[in-house]
Amino acid sequence: MQRRDFARAAALFPFAGAAWAQTPAWPQRPVKFILSQPAGAGPDILARYVADQLGKSWPQPIVIENRPGGQNVIGAQAAARSPADGYTFYYATTAAMVTNAFTFKALPYDPVKDFVPVRLVGRSPFVIAAASSFQAKDLAEVFAKAKAAPGTITIATEGPKTFSGMLADSVAQMGGVKFNHVPYTKATDAMQDVIGGRVQLVCLPDAALTAYLKAGQVRGLAISTAQRQADLANVPTLAETFPGFEYTGWNGVFAPAGTPPDIVARVNRDLEAVLKQPEVTQRLLALGSIAEQKMSVPEFEAFMRGERERWAQVVKTLGITAE
């Protein structure tokens, strides 16, 4: 631009330069993460740790807002109705963003239309374990017992239409047997009954079982990851019995639909920088989550499409009806 043209533009728009220079950087105020789980629950502990680490690189803190209840519906609905201004995000799990769509006849939020994926944080393995008093050293022996005495094998889960319940039923179906669910809302209650021998098997996130496994109070039969995990190296994978079988829960960050794409991209990049830190990776692993160290926004979008397709097939195969 010639000098006289620049001068003419400045005369026509005297405040343009000042306005551009004063455009506020994000974030200018605290950022909120909404959770569907209560304070102290596994996802809450994970979210608070990740938020604390992420907040170190921002000039504003991240505030955790717990909105539990309704099998994740209350929190998801609150997040979906939040302003899409880049100051509210939803720290979600598989149930809220995928499986609820197949187990509820109607939801007051749309997991696809009401949110944009920001970043996968980590994947959470599930473990199938047996009470010490239950005489079965591996899945093959469990299936043999179930076939010899149909309808007698009990398994502690979060319920037949939850992630743990559907995983347990998938395994039972592939083994040609059926388990009887004993649903629990608290992992500690489930473990007390399993350790006491009142329930024979349990299927829960490995974070809820690791301490009991290492103490020898329950016996690990299978983990849902594709490869064995270093902290539970003696627990075989489900893929060792059923090749190609891998199901893990996960936790990730979403934003209300309409959130500015540059803010979504910024949060994705900043989360990636946090999740690549060795101390963060180790801490998440101790909390039962395998950190996802590389995943762009488009890759997370593709991951979500794959998850919806996969769980649609699981629900169909198991014959689960929405309620």
Side-chain angles (χ1 to χ4, degrees):
M1 181 182 291
Q2 297 293 326
R3 182 175 301 176
R4 62 176 178 275
D5 295 328
F6 182 84
R8 186 179 299 116
L12 290 171
F13 306 102
F15 303 108
W20 176 264
Q22 293 171 14
T23 299
W26 178 92
Q28 287 292 301
R29 52 188 170 86
V31 175
K32 181 167 62 179
F33 277 11
I34 293 178
L35 269 75
S36 299
Q37 293 79 24
D44 175 76
I45 296 171
L46 274 169
R48 289 179 187 276
Y49 176 72
V50 170
D52 180 63
Q53 299 304 307
L54 183 59
K56 291 178 180 179
S57 62
W58 292 355
Q60 297 288 335
I62 299 174
V63 178
I64 301 296
E65 181 178 304
N66 300 94
R67 300 290 294 271
Q71 296 183 47
N72 297 283
V73 170
I74 293 174
Q77 184 178 18
R81 293 179 177 178
S82 296
D85 57 4
Y87 285 91
T88 300
F89 294 86
Y90 183 35
Y91 193 97
T93 59
T94 316
M97 301 307 291
V98 180
T99 59
N100 272 4
F102 304 111
T103 58
F104 282 79
K105 281 187 177 179
L107 285 173
Y109 68 96
D110 188 318
V112 179
K113 295 180 180 179
D114 290 345
F115 295 95
V116 292
V118 178
R119 183 64 159 74
L120 184 67
V121 173
R123 304 176 194 246
S124 303
F126 277 63
V127 172
I128 296 177
S132 298
S133 58
F134 184 59
Q135 299 303 308
K137 69 177 186 298
D138 54 31
L139 283 180
E141 292 190 0
V142 171
F143 296 148
K145 285 180 175 293
K147 290 174 181 177
T152 63
I153 303 299
T154 55
I155 185 165
T157 68
E158 296 157 306
K161 292 186 178 181
T162 64
F163 190 100
S164 62
M166 288 189 282
L167 174 59
D169 281 343
S170 294
V171 171
Q173 187 179 73
M174 290 187 296
V177 301
K178 187 174 180 62
F179 296 147
N180 292 325
H181 288 270
V182 182
Y184 292 85
T185 56
K186 293 182 179 180
T188 50
D189 292 342
M191 294 313 300
Q192 286 178 4
D193 283 351
V194 174
I195 292 170
R198 292 178 288 277
V199 180
Q200 296 156 317
L201 304 175
V202 59
C203 179
L204 288 175
D206 76 336
L209 289 175
T210 299
Y212 301 101
L213 290 165
K214 291 184 175 179
Q217 293 174 295
V218 292
R219 183 169 54 259
L221 301 176
I223 191 167
S224 67
T225 47
Q227 291 85 34
R228 294 196 184 199
Q229 298 303 298
D231 59 334
L232 296 174
N234 63 329
V235 178
T237 67
L238 283 169
E240 291 174 41
T241 301
F242 305 109
F245 187 89
E246 177 190 8
Y247 279 93
T248 56
W250 47 261
N251 54 97
V253 176
F254 296 79
T259 298
D262 58 331
I263 293 179
V264 170
R266 164 76 183 276
V267 177
N268 177 283
R269 290 194 303 270
D270 290 353
L271 272 170
E272 183 153 310
V274 166
L275 294 169
K276 284 183 176 179
Q277 298 173 18
E279 62 273 21
V280 172
T281 298
Q282 290 302 313
R283 179 57 180 159
L284 259 63
L285 192 60
L287 294 173
S289 184
I290 303 169
E292 193 71 27
Q293 296 188 345
K294 187 179 186 303
M295 184 171 282
S296 65
V297 172
E299 287 172 337
F300 192 23
E301 292 170 347
F303 172 84
M304 290 302 300
R305 288 192 295 271
E307 283 292 280
R308 289 190 290 270
E309 292 170 3
R310 179 165 67 163
W311 281 101
Q313 184 59 50
V314 169
V315 169
K316 181 180 179 181
T317 302
L318 294 178
I320 292 174
T321 56
E323 295 180 358

